[in-house]
């Protein structure tokens, strides 16, 4: 487990907790790790909503797929970030989304019941973890609200610009990388890929932005 301390100390779930205390708590939290190849399911829709995951390495995405097979990317997950906590803590019986490995990935899972309840050994920092979890879930709600704001725009151009301006505000820079390729960005914005590519070309021609692969510059 010590191999993962560099990632875990960056994980907001363990904010304010020292390395030696994290090591002692992993057993209380029922922690175990698992590896996944690119494009494989980490969690599938319909799985039991019991576990909270921390991405240790690689890249993952939370996705929803409708009846006709159309994919919508809800969020991108980077190392040290949590997933599954909202559904586990809401006592949802089954997962309503997929979590997919976008790259070869390694994940640490915790039993949600061990996270949300103090253990028999009364770990001094278990209350801190519960507080951290509440803070994480509040921030996730804000991010999902932002996603709704973006996808509620009327046109592909408006959706794209709303997303890019939020990324610029988040990073504090006019040049930044987005965690999606073209198809993934289209799926996140819930638009057609060809229409998205056409709008990007128009915006480049108009001098509004520049982009190379997943790097954008707002001019």
């Amino acid at each position: 487990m010590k191999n993962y301390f560099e990632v875990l100390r960056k994980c907001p779930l363990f904010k304010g907790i020292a390395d030696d205390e994290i090591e002692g708590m992993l057993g209380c939290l029922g922690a175990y790790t698992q590896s996944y190849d690119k494009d494989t399911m980490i969690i599938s829709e319909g799985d039991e909503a019991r576990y909270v995951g921390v991405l240790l390495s690689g890249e993952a995405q939370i996705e929803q797929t409708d009846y006709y097979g159309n994919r919508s990317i809800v969020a991108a997950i980077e190392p040290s970030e949590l997933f599954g906590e909202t559904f586990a803590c809401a006592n949802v019986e089954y997962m309503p989304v997929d979590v997919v490995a976008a790259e070869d990935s390694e994940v640490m899972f915790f039993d949600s019941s061990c996270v949300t309840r103090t253990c028999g050994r009364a770990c001094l920092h278990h209350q801190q973890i519960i507080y951290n979890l509440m803070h994480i879930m509040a921030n996730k709600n804000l991010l999902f609200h932002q996603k709704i704001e973006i996808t509620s725009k009327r046109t592909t151009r408006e959706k794209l610009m709303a997303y890019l301006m939020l990324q610029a505000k988040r990073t504090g820079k006019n040049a930044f990388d987005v965690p999606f390729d073209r198809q993934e960005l289209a799926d996140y914005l819930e638009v057609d890929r060809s229409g998205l590519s056409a709008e990007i070309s128009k915006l480049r021609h108009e001098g509004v932005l520049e982009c190379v692969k997943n790097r954008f510059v707002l001019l």
Side-chain angles (χ1 to χ4, degrees):
M1 294 292 184
K2 290 185 178 180
N3 296 335
Y4 308 119
F5 280 163
E6 190 64 32
V7 177
L8 292 177
R9 69 164 58 99
K10 296 177 184 177
C11 177
L13 186 66
F14 296 104
K15 183 178 180 181
I17 301 175
D19 288 359
D20 58 335
E21 293 158 348
I22 292 174
E23 184 177 12
M25 295 186 71
L26 292 180
C28 295
L29 298 175
Y32 69 94
T33 61
Q34 195 159 331
S35 299
Y36 297 88
D37 295 330
K38 181 179 179 180
D39 296 328
T40 60
M41 290 286 185
I42 298 173
I43 296 176
S44 298
E45 181 179 355
D47 285 353
E48 184 181 10
R50 177 182 171 185
Y51 295 98
V52 176
V54 177
L55 188 67
L56 299 175
S57 65
E59 192 176 317
Q61 294 171 347
I62 301 174
E63 302 178 356
Q64 283 185 316
T65 305
D66 65 18
Y67 178 79
Y68 297 102
N70 299 309
R71 180 181 70 163
S72 173
I73 296 177
V74 178
I77 307 166
E78 298 180 350
S80 80
E81 293 184 343
L82 258 64
F83 60 89
E85 74 288 345
T86 302
F87 305 111
C89 294
N91 290 324
V92 174
E93 189 173 1
Y94 301 110
M95 290 291 291
V97 297
D98 297 318
V99 181
V100 183
E103 300 291 344
D104 292 348
S105 302
E106 194 156 13
V107 177
M108 179 175 288
F109 288 101
F110 308 111
D111 189 317
S112 63
S113 64
C114 297
V115 176
T116 57
R117 301 171 191 167
T118 54
C119 65
R121 286 186 274 176
C123 296
L124 295 176
H125 294 280
H126 209 124
Q127 291 293 339
Q128 180 66 41
I129 279 189
I130 295 172
Y131 172 81
N132 290 344
L133 183 62
M134 291 175 61
H135 193 260
I136 292 165
M137 292 173 65
N139 284 332
K140 288 283 184 74
N141 284 337
L142 291 175
L143 291 175
F144 289 141
H145 178 70
Q146 288 181 349
K147 170 89 187 300
I148 292 171
E149 281 191 55
I150 292 167
T151 56
S152 65
K153 301 296 184 185
R154 290 180 178 272
T155 67
T156 297
R157 183 189 183 104
E158 289 174 343
K159 292 179 181 183
L160 173 63
M161 290 306 299
Y163 173 74
L164 294 179
M165 286 188 287
L166 277 173
Q167 296 306 305
K169 184 176 181 181
R170 181 181 64 83
T171 61
K173 301 176 181 178
N174 72 318
F176 47 85
D177 294 330
V178 302
F180 305 119
D181 60 26
R182 281 289 183 275
Q183 183 60 59
E184 291 168 345
L185 182 57
D187 291 339
Y188 178 84
L189 298 175
E190 300 179 9
V191 299
D192 179 72
R193 176 179 176 174
S194 60
L196 175 63
S197 296
E199 285 300 331
I200 291 174
S201 295
K202 289 178 185 177
L203 289 165
R204 293 177 67 179
H205 182 72
E206 294 168 15
V208 176
L209 59 79
E210 288 293 342
C211 68
V212 177
K213 295 184 178 180
N214 67 331
R215 184 162 186 81
F216 285 82
V217 180
L218 295 181
L219 303 175

